[in-house]
Amino acid sequence: MRICKPIIFLLCLIASKSAIAQGSGTFYEGERITAVNYIFENQLTDSLAEKNLELTVKRAFPVFPQSTIQILLLDAYTSKVKRLTQIADAQYEVRPSQLGGINITLTVVISDKAKEQKDRSGVLAGEKDFPILYLDNKSLLTTKFALSQMIYTNNNAWYAREDAMLNGNPLANNPAGSGYTGWMEGWFSGGLYGITTLSAKKNMYLYGGASYLVSGSAGRELFTDQSRVFGAFDDAYIGFLGTKNYPTGNRLTYNLSIGRKQFSVGQGYIIRNTASNGDNRGALQLNPRWASDYLGLASLRYNNVLVQIFQLDPDELSLVDSQTKIQGFNAEWGDGYSNQIGIMLLNIPKSNFNYYSPSGNVLGREGLSLYNIRYYGNKPAGVAGLFYKGEFAYERNSNYNMAAFTGYVDLGWSFAKSPSASVLRYRYAYFSGDNPNTEKHERWDPLLTGGNGEEWVIGANHFKVVQNSNMIVNQLQANIRPWSKIELVPQAIYMYAAQNNNIGGNPALSYMPKKEYGYEFNISVKYFQSKSWYWHGHLAYTIPGTGVREALNNKTKPWLSAMLFFRYAL
């Protein structure tokens, strides 16, 4: 078994955190819901009856904006809608929102005749309803399958200086570098999930599930040319859910869950990537694993107020497992669409992860406290105009003098009425670095930030070099949908350091003579073929800035990467 020695621990960590890809989580599990849309087909001629039926459907499908997706619950709620006597069919569609997060659309086909109800359905009941195994008025047992395949190529990876950028990295074994290199990677998973009614009168349910995921890589990728295949359980959890509707129209929902499960808060600025990929697990860029080693979560929602208490142990690579445990409190309030405010408090009671200072002092993550406040001013789906988001966070440590800051402002305009339904946005983000002239440790610890290239993976290539710490970012992005199933996402990014001292980042860039990291220009092309099939292509061109060039003795080249992948889910 390889051991990550203290002197190369940071190199190991950088490698594991580089395993953050363009794709979203399997089945969109844990994604943030931006909007919930309803389409009613074959509406009733009686307007009052139609209004009452639509209200009944929405009560049977209690999914709300600014919550997170649980696919099992979406399936259960849709099955409940289908069982309504005047509903001929119901299907939901999940698709990324141009404003960030996910839109859910429930299409309901109304029948003017009451249908005959089956006591049970599904494969185990002799019906051809796969992937549903069993369904009755109390329980749902279903399967989930997904797979993905990617081809990826680089020209001059690591700015053609893999010798310096990966020097001493224990994960590096004939890595990509100068010239063209390429590889393939893929994964597939299968799982079993179920939910059953404990009390129909009190709307109390027990749910749970587990999935097994196999991933692999072949070719010459960013760190190695060794082929490997890895299989392990991904999520495996059990939960208890209850709802209560009041005559006044108020609604209370409570949800308790424990086990291996994905978790994110807000837009993923602090907590998003709760598992690592790459190294022996393969699939460095596809990033299929998201479930933490352990998540204990208690959520309580009353109308638009959400309160959460959680304990989290991320699923880190064995080579760099820092044994970090996170305890947290999160609260959110909003009107569901236009305005959302949230606060989060985190504490790290245990961790072996270390920070390093120019003086040679070694400081620990253990004892870290984080305070986060956020505000989102969104636009409802289909409404044009200004939208904005912002967050601020502060870190301190009870064991020594630490004061680290981060914050961002995201401004955008939705051209919802234009033929291409475009969105244009600008983001300014700041992540503090450590000033060696002060007694405080000021370098921002990014914890579990991440997601995809439109969330907090800043730069498809650049993120492999500099994670979200000691960095100032100016980012311009557009989301363009020339056709309903195709979306283009071009980005232009300019990045520079907050401090010349960069100890704690890539060792080759421990001191930046100049603060400029560089520029990146990239574009994604997305094709939403169907509910099951998704295709994604990406080009990225990264130009090293003066700070990177001088730190590498002015021997660098621009980095070009290209990739194409598909994802299938059933």
Side-chain angles (χ1 to χ4, degrees):
M1 178 179 178
R2 292 176 293 177
I3 303 297
C4 188
K5 299 178 181 179
I7 58 173
I8 56 174
F9 190 85
L10 275 176
L11 289 170
C12 301
L13 178 79
I14 290 170
S16 70
K17 285 200 171 186
S18 293
I20 298 176
Q22 309 302 312
S24 59
T26 310
F27 316 132
Y28 294 108
E29 186 76 17
E31 297 273 4
R32 189 83 170 178
I33 300 173
T34 300
V36 181
N37 307 309
Y38 295 88
I39 299 174
F40 293 92
E41 298 181 355
N42 300 337
Q43 293 186 335
L44 302 176
T45 55
D46 186 333
S47 59
L48 180 59
E50 172 68 25
K51 182 178 179 180
N52 289 335
L53 181 59
E54 292 182 6
L55 182 60
T56 301
V57 167
K58 291 179 180 180
R59 286 176 175 171
F61 193 79
V63 181
F64 305 100
Q66 306 308 330
S67 59
T68 55
I69 291 179
Q70 294 190 69
I71 297 297
L72 172 61
L73 298 185
L74 286 181
D75 290 341
Y77 297 151
T78 304
S79 297
K80 191 174 181 180
V81 172
K82 287 182 179 181
R83 295 182 68 83
L84 296 174
T85 57
Q86 285 188 275
I87 302 303
D89 192 21
Q91 299 290 337
Y92 70 83
E93 181 182 29
V94 179
R95 184 174 294 188
S97 167
Q98 292 175 290
L99 304 182
I102 293 295
N103 289 340
I104 296 177
T105 300
L106 180 70
T107 301
V108 179
V109 181
I110 299 173
S111 173
D112 55 1
K113 295 180 181 180
K115 65 183 179 183
E116 180 183 354
Q117 285 283 7
K118 295 180 180 179
D119 291 335
R120 58 185 62 86
S121 61
V123 175
L124 299 179
E127 303 286 343
K128 297 180 180 179
D129 294 335
F130 191 80
I132 294 176
L133 298 182
Y134 182 83
L135 173 67
D136 61 21
N137 61 352
K138 288 187 176 181
S139 303
L140 168 67
L141 181 64
T142 185
T143 58
K144 290 293 181 185
F145 295 94
L147 59 90
S148 186
Q149 184 76 40
M150 171 186 281
I151 54 175
Y152 206 109
T153 183
N154 288 285
N155 183 34
N156 296 324
W158 308 109
Y159 306 129
R161 289 301 311 275
E162 71 278 14
D163 58 330
M165 300 292 284
L166 297 179
N167 182 33
N169 192 317
L171 300 184
N173 184 0
N174 195 25
S178 180
Y180 280 96
T181 53
W183 76 93
M184 297 179 64
E185 59 186 48
W187 60 267
F188 68 87
S189 70
L192 189 66
Y193 300 84
I195 183 169
T196 188
T197 305
L198 298 178
S199 172
K201 183 178 180 180
K202 296 183 178 180
N203 290 321
M204 297 168 59
Y205 308 90
L206 183 69
Y207 67 92
S211 67
Y212 193 85
L213 194 151
V214 178
S215 57
S217 297
R220 190 180 178 195
E221 56 143 81
L222 289 172
F223 295 98
T224 181
D225 63 353
Q226 293 184 336
S227 299
R228 65 265 194 215
V229 176
F230 180 83
F233 276 98
D234 190 32
D235 55 3
Y237 60 87
I238 188 170
F240 173 72
L241 171 70
T243 64
K244 182 176 178 60
N245 296 307
Y246 296 91
T248 56
N250 294 320
R251 182 182 183 87
L252 176 70
T253 303
Y254 49 92
N255 195 340
L256 307 173
S257 65
I258 58 171
R260 290 185 56 89
K261 205 169 188 296
Q262 180 183 353
F263 181 62
S264 62
V265 174
Q267 301 291 324
Y269 189 51
I270 308 295
I271 296 180
R272 182 72 172 89
N273 278 29
T274 49
S276 297
N277 294 270
D279 192 36
N280 65 311
R281 299 178 181 181
L284 175 71
Q285 289 295 132
L286 279 174
N287 203 46
R289 289 179 171 80
W290 291 77
S292 56
D293 268 341
Y294 172 80
L295 173 68
L297 175 64
S299 299
L300 182 69
R301 177 183 289 274
Y302 183 74
N303 294 337
N304 291 325
V305 177
L306 172 68
V307 176
Q308 296 177 307
I309 299 174
F310 58 90
Q311 181 168 323
L312 175 66
D313 179 2
D315 183 11
E316 301 175 274
L317 296 174
S318 58
L319 182 64
V320 290
D321 192 346
S322 65
Q323 302 294 317
T324 294
K325 305 294 188 295
I326 302 175
Q327 298 173 341
F329 168 84
N330 179 56
E332 300 177 6
W333 174 86
D335 58 14
Y337 287 97
S338 299
N339 299 284
Q340 188 82 11
I341 188 169
I343 60 171
M344 180 172 63
L345 309 177
L346 297 181
N347 180 56
I348 311 265
K350 180 182 178 181
S351 179
N352 296 331
F353 181 70
N354 291 325
Y355 312 133
Y356 298 86
S357 68
S359 63
N361 292 332
V362 180
L363 308 172
R365 175 185 282 170
E366 186 171 308
L368 182 77
S369 295
L370 182 148
Y371 309 88
N372 165 245
I373 185 169
R374 55 194 182 273
Y375 176 77
Y376 309 143
N378 294 315
K379 283 293 179 187
V383 177
L386 178 70
F387 64 91
Y388 43 90
K389 303 174 184 179
E391 294 194 44
F392 174 81
Y394 167 73
E395 290 175 335
R396 60 179 298 274
N397 197 294
S398 59
N399 296 319
Y400 53 88
N401 193 356
M402 178 179 182
F405 299 87
T406 186
Y408 74 89
V409 176
D410 200 342
L411 301 174
W413 189 273
S414 172
F415 299 89
K417 303 302 181 183
S418 68
S420 61
S422 303
V423 170
L424 183 65
R425 68 201 317 158
Y426 165 76
R427 175 193 290 167
Y428 174 86
Y430 173 86
F431 306 90
S432 64
D434 184 34
N435 184 348
N437 297 319
T438 68
E439 295 181 359
K440 297 179 180 179
H441 180 75
E442 297 150 318
R443 184 180 177 89
W444 177 255
D445 184 344
L447 293 178
L448 304 179
T449 188
N452 58 44
E454 296 165 47
E455 295 175 311
W456 290 102
V457 173
I458 301 176
N461 299 332
H462 183 265
F463 192 78
K464 280 80 168 182
V465 177
V466 182
Q467 283 70 54
N468 298 346
S469 187
N470 188 35
M471 183 168 64
I472 299 172
V473 181
N474 291 274
Q475 179 173 315
L476 187 64
Q477 174 182 306
N479 294 72
I480 306 166
R481 287 191 178 165
W483 299 278
S484 62
K485 292 188 176 183
I486 294 179
E487 182 174 359
L488 308 177
V489 186
Q491 290 181 332
I493 310 171
Y494 173 55
M495 300 146 289
Y496 55 100
Q499 297 288 336
N500 297 96
N501 167 45
N502 195 38
I503 293 175
N506 190 301
L509 306 178
S510 291
Y511 178 75
M512 303 277 290
K514 300 285 185 356
K515 292 183 177 181
E516 187 179 65
Y517 284 125
Y519 305 81
E520 180 167 305
F521 304 93
N522 58 57
I523 184 169
S524 297
V525 181
K526 307 175 184 179
Y527 175 40
F528 307 96
Q529 180 179 349
S530 65
K531 181 180 178 180
S532 296
W533 286 94
Y534 170 71
W535 299 80
H536 187 114
H538 191 88
L539 283 171
Y541 187 72
T542 309
I543 304 170
T546 55
V548 171
R549 293 199 304 269
E550 291 187 11
L552 297 174
N553 299 318
N554 291 309
K555 296 179 180 180
T556 63
K557 296 180 181 180
W559 181 351
L560 173 68
S561 68
M563 65 89 166
L564 175 68
F565 77 82
F566 74 83
R567 184 172 63 238
Y568 174 80
L570 179 64

